[in-house]
Every structure is written in structure tokens, then in C-alpha cells.
Amino acid sequence: LSIGWLHQDNAHRKGMYVLLRAFARVHSSRPDARLVIAGAGGSALPSLESLRDELGLSDVVEFVGAVSEAEKLAWLQRCAVYAQP
């Protein structure tokens, strides 16, 4: 799980592109792993989705959009790993 507003500047600052590339490496050895990225969509979403698809991760990386505080807590409680590079 990672959480962040997906505006271009913020996505770079929060390391979302780095996270996708790192997750591709994780997924190669842990094909059961999946990544959920929560946060309001923004100008970076199309390029993040393209990178996800280029890395062959479209089936295992999900952008769930903006979440409420309660949803955020639920995601945090059930995730195995919270990643925020």
C-alpha cells in the first residue's frame, strides 16, 4: 500500500515512480504480491498508469483513487507493507 495525491510534483516527491519500478522487482520474485495506491488522481495518474502497464503490472497494481479517513485506516490495517519512498 502507498498513499499520496497523484499530482505530478507530489507523485515525484512521494516516490511513486520509484515505487512502481521497485515493485516490479518484488513482483518478479513474489508473483502473489499486489500493490494498491490510494490517493486523489491528478496530473501524474496517466503517466503512472502507463508505467504500470509498461512494467507488465496492470493485473497487480491498482489505483483506488481518493479514500476517506476511515477507508485509509482500513487499508493501513489490512496491508502487509506500507511503502512510502
Side-chain angles (χ1 to χ4, degrees):
L1 173 69
S2 192
I3 300 170
W5 179 39
L6 301 181
H7 184 274
Q8 195 69 291
D9 292 339
N10 197 59
H12 280 287
R13 185 178 65 80
K14 292 265 190 162
M16 295 296 183
Y17 296 91
V18 172
L19 176 61
L20 283 173
R21 288 183 181 93
F23 182 73
R25 297 177 78 184
V26 169
H27 189 260
S28 68
S29 63
R30 293 287 311 267
D32 59 321
R34 65 181 277 236
L35 174 62
V36 173
I37 298 176
S43 57
L45 184 57
S47 60
L48 288 166
E49 289 173 326
S50 290
L51 178 58
R52 174 200 60 192
D53 297 346
E54 287 171 25
L55 294 169
L57 301 171
S58 58
D59 293 341
V60 294
V61 174
E62 180 180 5
F63 295 94
V64 296
V67 294
S68 68
E69 189 68 20
E71 291 169 316
K72 178 172 80 171
L73 291 174
W75 277 112
L76 288 166
Q77 289 172 339
R78 71 178 180 251
C79 74
V81 174
Y82 177 74
Q84 197 65 71

